[in-house]
Amino acid sequence: MTVDEEARTVAPGRAAQELELGRDEFRLALQLGLVRTVPVGGGERRRVERRELDRLRAAPDFPAGLRERVRAVGTREAAALLGITADRFTRLARTGHVSPVRFSLNRYRTVVWMYLAQEVVEFGLTCPALLTGRLPLHLRERLAAGEDQRARNWRARRLALLLRATEDPWVRAAAIASLLDPVQVAEVVDDPYERTHLDRLRPPPPPGMPVPPVAREAAERLTLADDPDEILWHRLSLALALDEARAERQAPHPGETRAEGVGARASTMTPAGPLRAGRVPMAPVRGEAVPEVPVRGEAVTTASGAAAPVATVSAPAGRPVAIDRSVGRSARARLLERFRRGRAAGAARPRRRRRPTAWP
């Protein structure tokens, strides 16, 4: 981080103090986009600009207004705001009338959902008929069938926040892929290099994830789509997002570095230097170094700077050549074909440890 960046930005902890917010309140303000951050130092760290703090502190209702917008309440407090019982509020939340903003696990590993107080009050003003008397028949039937939309609505809210935080198509695809288990992702994304790239860009777990392995496993299940129609929706969304990402630039393969920006051309680095036009990079073979193959008539620059012709080298038989996955059938057609194969959609594979990326 440069001296200029340090002067015009502050650390998150310092920003929370100047905004008179607690740690959880400030974290929620970041998730909701009420406080904007910027990356610094070209890494994963993010800080708050001084002008952003000045903007928030200049509001006429500061700090009470900002605190109210990030106030999260549990089931009992939300029911008290609406003047109803906690059981009735739970039933309204299960049918999707109020969406949770975050969750935690208590010592009994029971999920505790939290809601924005502002949204709870707005729901009471817009749907007063649902606060008194018997619930409508269709809601009672959905509850009797065991419907619970809380986890799904929380995932939808989280995905919307992640997509709003970036314009990079590969990062957006990684956000969608984070809601699917590795088996689902592998069925949608054919190229293992693309899957590795999505895995590298995967957003970090939501704040407040429990540390103990058993509790963490239970919490991670809430972050993955589980309803068949929800899984189908995210698979199709991932296929469309991949089409957009491939149209801008291809996923990097081993030994490649890609320039940023739309339509950037790849520059593959080899021991002899960058890959020149006309050389064909070979797909990696397990346990072997991957040579680059010059085409007929190309000159190779020697250490002395002179250009020396090289002989034609054919690709060894049996080695696959890297191909462009964006050519041919669209991702949607491939995806629909996989659905017809009847492969099991609910299988789970061991999840690898994820490396956090620069998400806000």
Side-chain angles (χ1 to χ4, degrees):
M1 182 173 59
T2 64
V3 176
D4 179 65
E5 288 177 332
E6 187 174 1
R8 65 182 177 85
T9 62
V10 298
R14 177 66 179 176
Q17 293 178 3
E18 296 194 16
L19 295 176
E20 301 182 31
L21 297 176
R23 183 182 62 179
D24 291 340
E25 291 175 331
F26 182 74
R27 185 184 296 165
L28 189 55
L30 294 180
Q31 294 178 36
L32 299 176
L34 299 177
V35 179
R36 297 188 292 265
T37 60
V38 294
V40 294
E44 299 169 358
R45 298 175 54 195
R46 302 185 72 91
R47 292 167 63 93
V48 183
E49 291 185 312
R50 275 287 176 189
R51 60 182 180 182
E52 175 71 1
L53 297 178
D54 296 338
R55 180 185 68 85
L56 294 170
R57 293 171 61 89
D61 59 349
F62 178 84
L66 181 59
R67 283 180 177 173
E68 183 61 26
R69 289 194 291 274
V70 297
R71 185 162 72 99
V73 296
T75 299
R76 293 186 180 277
E77 192 174 354
L81 289 175
L82 297 177
I84 59 178
T85 64
D87 179 67
R88 188 180 186 92
F89 178 82
T90 299
R91 286 183 287 171
L92 292 172
R94 288 179 58 187
T95 51
H97 290 85
V98 185
S99 299
V101 69
R102 70 184 184 204
F103 72 90
S104 61
L105 269 67
N106 60 18
R107 59 180 176 178
Y108 305 107
R109 294 200 292 273
T110 301
V111 181
V112 179
W113 295 106
M114 304 294 290
Y115 308 85
L116 283 178
Q118 193 174 42
E119 292 183 358
V120 172
V121 173
E122 291 175 357
F123 165 71
L125 296 176
T126 55
C127 302
L130 295 177
L131 305 181
T132 58
R134 296 192 68 187
L135 291 176
L137 177 61
H138 68 281
L139 295 183
R140 298 200 304 270
E141 291 176 345
R142 289 165 57 185
L143 290 170
E147 180 175 328
D148 191 345
Q149 295 286 326
R150 289 176 293 184
R152 179 171 182 172
N153 286 344
W154 173 81
R155 288 190 292 266
R157 180 196 288 271
R158 172 170 164 78
L159 178 60
L161 294 174
L162 293 175
L163 295 179
R164 189 177 63 186
T166 180
E167 295 295 331
D168 188 292
W170 280 104
V171 178
R172 294 170 67 88
I176 300 173
S178 68
L179 300 182
L180 298 170
D181 64 51
V183 174
Q184 300 287 346
V185 175
E187 292 180 351
V188 178
V189 188
D190 294 310
D191 193 335
Y193 297 132
E194 291 182 344
R195 291 198 299 271
T196 301
H197 190 48
L198 293 176
D199 185 71
R200 190 180 301 117
L201 298 175
R202 177 181 289 266
M209 288 289 283
V211 176
V214 177
R216 188 175 184 85
E217 182 181 354
E220 286 180 344
R221 285 198 296 267
L222 295 174
T223 66
L224 299 178
D226 53 7
D227 294 335
D229 58 335
E230 182 187 9
I231 293 174
L232 175 60
W233 174 264
H234 290 313
R235 286 174 61 124
L236 292 172
S237 299
L238 178 57
L240 294 173
L242 284 174
D243 284 343
E244 295 180 2
R246 291 162 179 156
E248 179 168 317
R249 65 181 184 275
Q250 294 298 302
H253 285 209
E256 292 182 357
T257 58
R258 294 183 178 273
E260 296 296 332
V262 178
R265 294 186 60 182
S267 175
T268 304
M269 301 302 297
T270 67
L275 178 66
R276 302 178 182 86
R279 298 193 178 185
V280 183
M282 304 301 297
V285 179
R286 184 175 302 177
E288 284 189 34
V290 181
E292 62 174 349
V293 183
V295 296
R296 184 185 302 272
E298 183 187 4
V300 175
T301 304
T302 63
S304 61
V310 298
T312 303
V313 180
S314 302
R319 287 192 182 180
V321 179
I323 60 174
D324 187 353
R325 293 284 183 180
S326 63
V327 179
R329 295 178 300 167
S330 68
R332 283 167 288 181
R334 297 196 304 269
L335 177 59
L336 294 176
E337 181 178 340
R338 290 190 203 98
F339 272 111
R340 289 193 289 268
R341 296 175 188 169
R343 297 184 62 177
R349 292 181 180 173
R351 297 173 61 84
R352 295 178 297 171
R353 186 174 180 180
R354 308 298 183 186
R355 185 175 69 85
T357 55
W359 288 92

